[in-house]
Amino acid sequence: MEDMEEFEYQPRSVKDLFIEMKNIAELMVDLAYTSILFGDKEIAEEVVDLEERMDLLNYQMTLHAVLAARNVKEAEKVTSILQMANAIEDISNAAGDLAKMVLEGLELHPVIKEAILESEEVIAKIVVSPDSVLVGKTLGELDLATNTGVWVIAVRRGRRWIFGPDKDFKIKPHDVLIGRGTHTSVEHLKEIARGVIRVVGNERA
Amino acid sequence: MEDMEEFEYQPRSVKDLFIEMKNIAELMVDLAYTSILFGDKEIAEEVVDLEERMDLLNYQMTLHAVLAARNVKEAEKVTSILQMANAIEDISNAAGDLAKMVLEGLELHPVIKEAILESEEVIAKIVVSPDSVLVGKTLGELDLATNTGVWVIAVRRGRRWIFGPDKDFKIKPHDVLIGRGTHTSVEHLKEIARGVIRVVGNERA
């Protein structure tokens, strides 16, 4: 409902909608692999929810884009937006299909998890110890993607999941970060989270 | 041809094929956005070539997987592999659709490039100056994904493209790296490539 109101009274630009679609598609793929890796139905549910959000965004975006076309030249450009939006939605649907494998409780072949664990980009759980330098800092301050090469996709706090946490998200002791990065970068962040390494990037945290 | 021979006489494991499929799908999406961003038909051609490679890998993988199923239990597990392979192929097809927009010379709306430039993960060209610490080092030694948060998707050397360069790829002066990362990490790597920053990660390079 909130989204519909936003759409009615405060129309967002095609660009903003487009950026959100692209970011969500990337998050969905990451979360889909994560749900498979950990056999986690809650994460899989989130992917399916994001698929619905994606449909809504695509609908709003299409409406705005089509309204903007006033002549043949503009119509051609608008068509390029719609084509790209369709490709992004195809990616998000593929992520949804992956998540549904988890939701349907399909018995997964061990090769699947191995492939996710041995790709160039891997996914890992990183447990934050109370004496880690990460504690009390926001993701914006830490900028882990730049400083450690690890993208934080989701966070498990107690029984709650936070998906696609933003810059203002502040890390607490015992948070479990779900990160995507190289093997080395993930291992490095684990050492920081464990409290063994006391430095994030080039600065002392 | 080479692939077919490899397939005939040196069958690879389902896992290896699967990992290559996953890595290729990710590279294809990155390259597809890159081809759109720079309006580069050569990069778009590479995406289409990789789509063919993906078809071959999927065929080999399916054959191996199906042969491995000897009873109902195994058949269920094998089915999960085929479902995941299909999702990966859907992602690669979506990347192919994006690349075809470039190949067809469709007039692109400016919003498309803006969205690629303003997403959470951006793509950028990084020019290597002769006096940069990067020169003469391999991507394996530098591990830029870990040390700077930037993934090198492709390299332009003179008139030649190297797509998905591996660990043994050695950087030469005037190479143009195509990198994916955060805004900050890309800007940081640009400074290293320019020779302004003389350190990669925590170690003096």
Side-chain angles (χ1 to χ4, degrees), chain A residues 18 22 80-81 83-85 87-88 91, chain B residues 28-45 47 94-117 123 125 161 178:
Chain A
F18 214 41
K22 188 169 170 293
S80 72
I81 296 186
Q83 283 193 17
M84 181 147 162
I88 291 175
I91 292 174
Chain B
M28 283 178 70
V29 173
D30 288 341
L31 288 177
Y33 284 133
T34 308
S35 70
I36 288 173
L37 187 60
F38 302 128
D40 189 309
K41 289 196 181 186
E42 255 181 284
I43 304 178
E45 290 279 8
V47 176
D97 290 344
L98 291 172
K100 277 162 207 154
M101 287 169 59
V102 177
L103 291 177
E104 286 161 8
L106 201 72
E107 178 114 30
L108 301 185
H109 196 285
V111 153
I112 290 182
K113 291 187 187 186
E114 286 165 27
I116 296 176
L117 286 171
I123 286 164
K125 282 188 184 175
W161 273 113
I178 307 294

Side-chain angles (χ1 to χ4, degrees), chain A residues 31-66:
Chain A
L31 289 177
Y33 285 133
T34 308
S35 70
I36 288 174
L37 187 59
F38 303 127
D40 189 308
K41 290 196 180 184
E42 255 182 284
I43 304 179
E45 290 280 6
E46 173 69 10
V47 176
V48 174
D49 288 352
L50 285 171
E51 209 175 345
E52 277 175 35
R53 167 117 191 107
M54 180 68 94
D55 289 342
L56 180 70
L57 287 169
N58 201 2
Y59 174 75
Q60 292 180 6
M61 215 271 303
T62 305
L63 210 60
H64 284 308
V66 169

Side-chain angles (χ1 to χ4, degrees), chain A residues 14-16 18-19 22-23 25-26 29-30 33 36 68 73-74 76-81 83-88 90-91 94-95 97-98 100-101 104-112 114-116 118-122 143 145-151 180-186 188 199 201-202, chain B residues 14-16 18-19 22-23 25-26 29-30 33 36 68 73-74 76-81 83-88 90-91 94-95 97-98 100-101 104-112 114-116 118-122 143 145-151 180-186 188 199 201-202:
Chain A
V14 170
K15 189 176 87 175
D16 287 347
F18 214 41
I19 292 176
K22 188 169 170 293
N23 288 339
E26 281 155 21
V29 173
D30 288 341
Y33 285 133
I36 288 174
K73 192 83 184 156
E74 280 178 5
E76 194 183 326
K77 288 188 186 171
V78 163
T79 303
S80 72
I81 296 186
Q83 283 193 17
M84 181 147 162
N86 280 340
I88 291 175
D90 286 347
I91 292 174
D97 290 345
L98 291 173
K100 276 161 209 156
M101 287 169 59
E104 286 162 9
L106 202 71
E107 178 115 30
L108 302 185
H109 196 286
V111 153
I112 291 182
E114 286 165 27
I116 297 176
E118 292 175 38
S119 296
E120 288 176 11
E121 289 197 89
V122 296
D143 193 2
T146 303
N147 287 316
T148 67
V150 180
W151 285 83
R180 165 173 56 82
T182 61
H183 283 276
T184 330
S185 61
V186 161
H188 180 76
V199 178
N202 295 319
Chain B
V14 169
K15 188 177 87 176
D16 287 348
F18 214 41
I19 291 176
K22 187 169 170 291
N23 287 338
E26 281 155 22
V29 173
D30 288 341
Y33 284 133
I36 288 173
K73 192 82 185 159
E74 281 178 6
E76 194 183 327
K77 287 188 186 169
V78 163
T79 302
S80 73
I81 296 186
Q83 283 194 15
M84 180 147 162
N86 280 341
I88 292 176
D90 286 347
I91 292 175
D97 290 344
L98 291 172
K100 277 162 207 154
M101 287 169 59
E104 286 161 8
L106 201 72
E107 178 114 30
L108 301 185
H109 196 285
V111 153
I112 290 182
E114 286 165 27
I116 296 176
E118 293 175 38
S119 296
E120 287 175 11
E121 288 198 88
V122 297
D143 192 3
T146 304
N147 287 314
T148 67
V150 180
W151 285 83
R180 164 173 57 82
T182 62
H183 283 276
T184 331
S185 62
V186 161
H188 179 77
V199 178
N202 295 321

Side-chain angles (χ1 to χ4, degrees), chain A residues 159-175:
Chain A
R159 295 193 174 182
R160 205 159 65 91
W161 273 112
I162 298 104
F163 297 106
D166 65 12
K167 285 174 184 177
D168 300 322
F169 180 85
K170 194 177 276 185
I171 296 181
K172 288 191 177 174
H174 311 297
D175 277 351

Side-chain angles (χ1 to χ4, degrees), chain B residues 3-172:
Chain B
D3 295 318
M4 287 308 288
E5 280 168 33
E6 184 182 28
F7 170 57
E8 293 267 4
Y9 303 111
Q10 233 186 357
R12 295 165 62 196
S13 71
V14 169
K15 188 177 87 176
D16 287 348
L17 290 164
F18 214 41
I19 291 176
E20 189 178 346
M21 285 177 67
K22 187 169 170 291
N23 287 338
I24 286 185
E26 281 155 22
L27 179 63
M28 283 178 70
V29 173
D30 288 341
L31 288 177
Y33 284 133
T34 308
S35 70
I36 288 173
L37 187 60
F38 302 128
D40 189 309
K41 289 196 181 186
E42 255 181 284
I43 304 178
E45 290 279 8
E46 174 69 10
V47 176
V48 174
D49 288 351
L50 286 172
E51 210 175 345
E52 279 175 35
R53 169 118 191 104
M54 181 68 95
D55 288 342
L56 180 68
L57 288 169
N58 201 0
Y59 174 73
Q60 293 180 7
M61 215 271 302
T62 305
L63 210 57
H64 285 307
V66 170
L67 278 171
R70 277 150 216 257
N71 54 50
V72 174
K73 192 82 185 159
E74 281 178 6
E76 194 183 327
K77 287 188 186 169
V78 163
T79 302
S80 73
I81 296 186
L82 303 184
Q83 283 194 15
M84 180 147 162
N86 280 341
I88 292 176
E89 204 169 0
D90 286 347
I91 292 175
S92 83
N93 288 340
D97 290 344
L98 291 172
K100 277 162 207 154
M101 287 169 59
V102 177
L103 291 177
E104 286 161 8
L106 201 72
E107 178 114 30
L108 301 185
H109 196 285
V111 153
I112 290 182
K113 291 187 187 186
E114 286 165 27
I116 296 176
L117 286 171
E118 293 175 38
S119 296
E120 287 175 11
E121 288 198 88
V122 297
I123 286 164
K125 282 188 184 175
I126 299 138
V127 184
V128 179
S129 135
D131 57 336
S132 165
V133 289
L134 300 175
V135 171
K137 298 222 165 49
T138 64
L139 290 180
E141 289 173 84
L142 291 165
D143 192 3
L144 297 175
T146 304
N147 287 314
T148 67
V150 180
W151 285 83
V152 178
I153 307 162
V155 180
R156 178 84 175 180
R157 175 169 290 170
R159 294 195 174 179
R160 203 159 66 89
W161 273 113
I162 299 105
F163 297 106
D166 65 12
K167 285 174 184 177
D168 300 322
F169 180 86
K170 193 177 275 183
I171 295 180
K172 289 190 177 177

